[in-house]
Amino acid sequence: MRGLYGMGKQSPPRQLRSAREIAAMRNAGLVVWDTFKAVKPLVKPGVSTAEIDAVVREVFARNHAQPLFLNFPNSTEGGPPFPAATCISINAEVVHGIPSLRRKLAAGDIVSIDTGCKVNGWCGDAAFTFPVGEIDPVKQKLLAVTRGVLFLAIDLMGKKSRWSEVAAEMEKFVRDHRFSVVEDFVGHGIGRDMHEEPQVPNFVQRRAPRNADFRLEEGLVIAVEPMVNVGTKAVKTLSDQWTQVTKDGKPSAHFEHTIAITSEGPQVLTSSPSGELE
Ligand code: MG
């Protein structure tokens, strides 16, 4: 949950993490992973998004983890802080949907669940988009492409030398599938704080500041979070001052992992080694 440039508070300069620090972040990442294991069985018609949020809060409490999204400040002056531990965004909602007892999942929906926590001073952040019952072929393709572009990026983090090379491949991958990459929101460095430098765009920044690109080197820890739309890349904010929706009302998906570059290559900190939620 981060806007591109100028939104949110100033972050400290980016840091490289030691193996010990990455191991500490792994603990936070595994709690985030546990929340997804706990909520997956709830992703079915009739379940409210507030029920999903409640389960995530329970997992955090059980693990003495601090929810990072709860009370997160609004990027608009005077806007309300985020009122939940998860962002839950359905269909045309891109990111930052607010959980509600009135909002119930229905068959054919796709639902993005995004959450993060802090454990012993270190942060983890991840998002998955799940199908609710049977979904149409376009949504099936959207989930496959969005998850696919995240794992393409993870793989390329071990092969390319600069992030801009990864971002270019991500943009091309999505475009080749005739979908669009959201440009209003980007991934981020992560460590002691959820949002640190650098910003991690999922697209080529044609008007970026010269120092926006960064090297992919051992000790870098970033949250990579492509948001992919079936139609236009353009998004707008709903009147709740949080929820982002596609301007054309077409579906959007979002996948995210916290990833460290270690001596053995990129390591996903927010999943088990298999990466399977079952
Ligand atoms: Mg994030």
Side-chain angles (χ1 to χ4, degrees):
M1 42 152 45
R2 178 166 192 177
L4 181 61
Y5 296 120
M7 295 173 81
K9 65 179 170 128
Q10 279 289 325
S11 302
R14 106 188 151 94
Q15 295 178 51
L16 298 176
R17 307 296 181 184
S18 68
R20 223 168 83 182
E21 290 170 326
I22 289 170
M25 291 189 73
R26 173 77 172 143
N27 290 331
L30 285 176
V31 174
V32 173
W33 177 247
D34 276 349
T35 68
F36 287 106
K37 284 197 291 192
V39 300
K40 191 172 182 237
L42 288 180
V43 178
K44 54 190 183 192
V47 173
S48 75
T49 54
E51 288 170 78
I52 293 171
D53 186 66
V55 167
V56 169
R57 291 186 199 219
E58 279 167 28
V59 173
F60 287 162
R62 200 160 62 226
N63 288 280
H64 309 288
Q66 174 195 337
L68 290 169
F69 292 13
L70 186 63
N71 298 319
F72 195 87
N74 201 291
S75 60
T76 304
E77 188 83 38
F82 195 76
T86 53
C87 293
I88 305 185
S89 310
I90 300 172
N91 297 332
E93 296 169 357
V94 179
V95 285
H96 305 175
I98 298 174
S100 161
L101 277 171
R102 292 187 307 275
R103 193 72 196 275
K104 294 197 162 124
L105 302 180
D109 286 345
I110 53 172
V111 56
S112 147
I113 303 173
D114 185 0
T115 195
C117 71
K118 188 181 266 194
V119 175
N120 294 326
W122 294 96
C123 298
D125 184 8
F128 290 80
T129 303
F130 298 98
V132 184
E134 289 288 307
I135 58 171
D136 69 42
V138 171
K139 285 177 173 170
Q140 287 174 26
K141 181 180 161 191
L142 178 65
L143 296 197
V145 168
T146 313
R147 188 181 180 282
V149 77
L150 172 58
F151 281 88
L152 172 71
I154 294 168
D155 179 53
L156 292 176
M157 281 173 69
K159 295 176 176 163
K160 303 284 191 187
S161 60
R162 303 187 74 81
W163 177 258
S164 57
E165 299 169 75
V166 178
E169 296 289 331
M170 293 175 81
E171 184 179 291
K172 180 176 185 306
F173 181 86
V174 171
R175 201 179 331 117
D176 286 350
H177 287 94
R178 317 225 165 215
F179 291 151
S180 62
V181 175
V182 172
E183 297 187 2
D184 289 24
F185 295 90
V186 295
H188 47 93
I190 180 166
R192 291 279 186 192
D193 289 312
M194 174 165 63
H195 293 158
E196 298 186 353
E197 293 303 319
Q199 299 207 350
V200 184
N202 308 294
F203 54 91
V204 179
Q205 292 181 286
R206 290 167 186 88
R207 278 171 295 177
R210 209 167 289 162
N211 61 357
D213 200 8
F214 56 91
R215 294 189 67 79
L216 299 167
E217 54 197 318
E218 192 179 328
L220 182 77
V221 186
I222 55 177
V224 179
E225 49 177 318
M227 289 142 267
V228 176
N229 294 353
V230 165
T232 177
K233 68 183 179 186
V235 302
K236 61 181 182 184
T237 310
L238 295 187
S239 59
D240 63 19
Q241 294 186 267
W242 277 106
T243 312
Q244 303 294 320
V245 297
T246 57
K247 269 197 176 157
D248 59 9
K250 291 184 180 170
S252 180
H254 178 211
F255 283 83
E256 175 179 23
H257 273 306
T258 297
I259 304 135
I261 300 183
T262 72
S263 58
E264 271 137 51
Q267 184 194 2
V268 176
L269 301 182
T270 38
S271 78
S272 67
S274 80
E276 295 299 327
L277 273 170
E278 280 79 19

